[in-house]
Structure formats: structure tokens, C-alpha cells
Amino acid sequence: MLQERISRRLFARSTAGLLVAGTGIAAVQANNRSESIHQEPASADSAAQEKPVEEKRPVEAPFERDYDAPGFKPSWSKPQINREMAADFVIFAHSELDKVQMLLEREPGLLNATIDWGAGDWETALGGASHMGRHDIVEFLLSRGARIDIFCAAMMGMLETVQAMLQMEPALIDARGPHGFNLHFHAQVGQERAKPVLDFLQSVKELELREIPFLKGKRNSGG
């Protein structure tokens, strides 16, 4: 668990300068908070010197209708899936296939769970696996019926799908996924599999492509 948290934090820090993604700050803060909570002190002495960590919980923004309520009233007949469990599922989908499989077996309703990391930075497990270039996790989620989107298609090298979606809606070339990552970024993390997609995206809108630190020295081995 600790290794995964540290890896996630380093990824967020190292890629923060790649894109203008203001909403991504909330995800980084949430991850840093989670990583610090799960750390264990090296010794009793060091623990005594450290200040206690205040665990922060998600806070729902205040809201009061200043418009007429919808005519349809939901029944709320079934309990919602636990938000912490959904957040764990999305976080694990960035790097831990076994944990994703375990949680989905326990709660199938997690498949398309979406977490708002703050200020509308929505992310699903498929979204997290996609911008980490985890082909294996994406393939597993898709095999279970996850809702594919253009960002996932770009990372997976689905050229015809990306072309068709951009033909249908050209404005998608500027669309942003979780944490503000764009289509070009997703094609970059897809590596060799997604190179035709990246070339196509560059032909539509050429961007300066920056090196992605967590891909250094990493072969396209499915994740």
C-alpha cells in the first residue's frame, strides 16, 4: 500500500508541469493526504517528534436551490456505494490490477464509479488506468463492461475510434480528462501501441510534446 501511495504521489508531482490542470491539484492533495495517513513512524522516538496528522475527509460544497426542483423525484430505494470504497477502487486502478479485481468481485457496482477529487475533477477507474498507460487494467475493466471514452481509446491505440469521434465532434481535440490530461498525453502514455493515434492527433492539432517522467526507461509491456 505504501509503495503504491508513494508512486502515485511522485507521478502527480512529476507530471504537474506538463499540462494546465488546476482541478488536478485536488487529486494530488487527496493522494498526499492518504499517503501520509498510511505511513508508519520509523520508531517511537521519531513518532513522538512528529505532529499528529489530521485526517481530512471529503467536504460537500454548500448548496441551496435558487430554481425550481426537478419534477422527477428519485426513489433512493437502494443504498449508495460507499464513497471511500469507490475512491480506493479508482486509486488502485492507477497501478494495482489485483486490487481492482478483488474490489470489483466484492462490489460489481464499482465498475463505473466516479469520484470528484474536488472542484469537479471527476475520475473513474478506467480514467485513472488510461492516463497511467495501464493497458492490462484497462483491458480488464473493458472486459467487464466499463464505459470507454475517447481518452481511453487514444491510450489503447484505437485509431479508427478516435478518428470517428473527432469527426463527429471536432471540439474533442481540446477535451480534457481527469486532472486535465489531454488526448495527446493519453496517446503518449500508450507508447508504441498508441503511436499512430499520437501521429494523427498531431496532424489535427500539433502540440509541443514534453517528456513524461514516469515513462523514462519503461518498455511498452502493458503497463
Side-chain angles (χ1 to χ4, degrees):
M1 174 69 75
L2 178 57
Q3 183 179 0
E4 184 274 330
R5 301 293 183 184
I6 294 174
S7 175
R8 173 104 167 110
R9 180 184 63 183
L10 291 176
F11 160 71
R13 286 183 175 176
S14 62
T15 57
L18 297 177
L19 299 166
V20 179
T23 55
I25 296 174
V28 177
Q29 290 175 333
N31 190 65
N32 287 345
R33 179 263 304 168
S34 180
E35 183 268 335
S36 63
I37 291 170
H38 287 83
Q39 281 186 334
E40 294 183 1
S43 66
D45 292 337
S46 62
Q49 295 173 358
E50 293 179 0
K51 295 181 179 180
V53 177
E54 178 184 356
E55 182 177 0
K56 296 182 179 179
R57 307 295 296 174
V59 177
E60 188 173 10
F63 170 74
E64 184 176 346
R65 285 195 186 101
D66 57 0
Y67 54 86
D68 292 338
F72 174 78
K73 304 297 182 183
S75 64
W76 299 109
S77 59
K78 298 179 181 179
Q80 293 183 327
I81 291 175
N82 181 270
R83 180 161 55 180
E84 186 170 40
M85 186 182 189
D88 289 347
F89 183 68
V90 173
I91 292 171
F92 284 141
H94 288 70
S95 59
E96 297 189 49
L97 176 59
D98 58 337
K99 297 288 181 36
V100 171
Q101 294 171 327
M102 177 270 292
L103 282 178
L104 193 59
E105 179 69 23
R106 181 180 299 179
E107 176 48 75
L110 288 169
L111 183 62
N112 293 304
T114 308
I115 292 294
D116 178 8
W117 296 118
D121 183 15
W122 296 97
E123 184 176 34
T124 63
L126 189 69
S130 294
H131 65 241
M132 290 299 291
R134 288 301 299 255
H135 300 106
D136 55 340
I137 298 177
V138 166
E139 288 170 353
F140 169 73
L141 293 169
L142 291 178
S143 74
R144 295 300 189 272
R147 300 166 187 159
I148 191 171
D149 57 28
I150 192 171
F151 303 104
C152 175
M155 191 280 288
M156 294 296 285
M158 300 177 180
L159 178 59
E160 292 183 359
T161 300
V162 173
Q163 289 174 327
M165 295 183 77
L166 283 173
Q167 183 177 9
M168 178 184 66
E169 184 47 74
L172 284 173
I173 192 65
D174 295 316
R176 301 276 177 167
H179 322 320
F181 295 130
N182 62 14
L183 285 174
H184 293 66
F185 181 92
H186 284 80
Q188 279 184 277
V189 299
Q191 301 183 78
E192 288 303 314
R193 180 187 294 202
K195 188 178 185 305
V197 175
L198 183 58
D199 292 341
F200 168 69
L201 293 174
Q202 285 289 70
S203 73
V204 175
K205 183 173 184 176
E206 186 172 1
L207 298 179
E208 179 184 355
L209 302 177
R210 302 184 182 184
E211 186 175 36
I212 300 174
F214 79 89
L215 290 181
K216 288 182 179 179
K218 179 180 177 182
R219 297 184 179 275
N220 191 29
S221 58

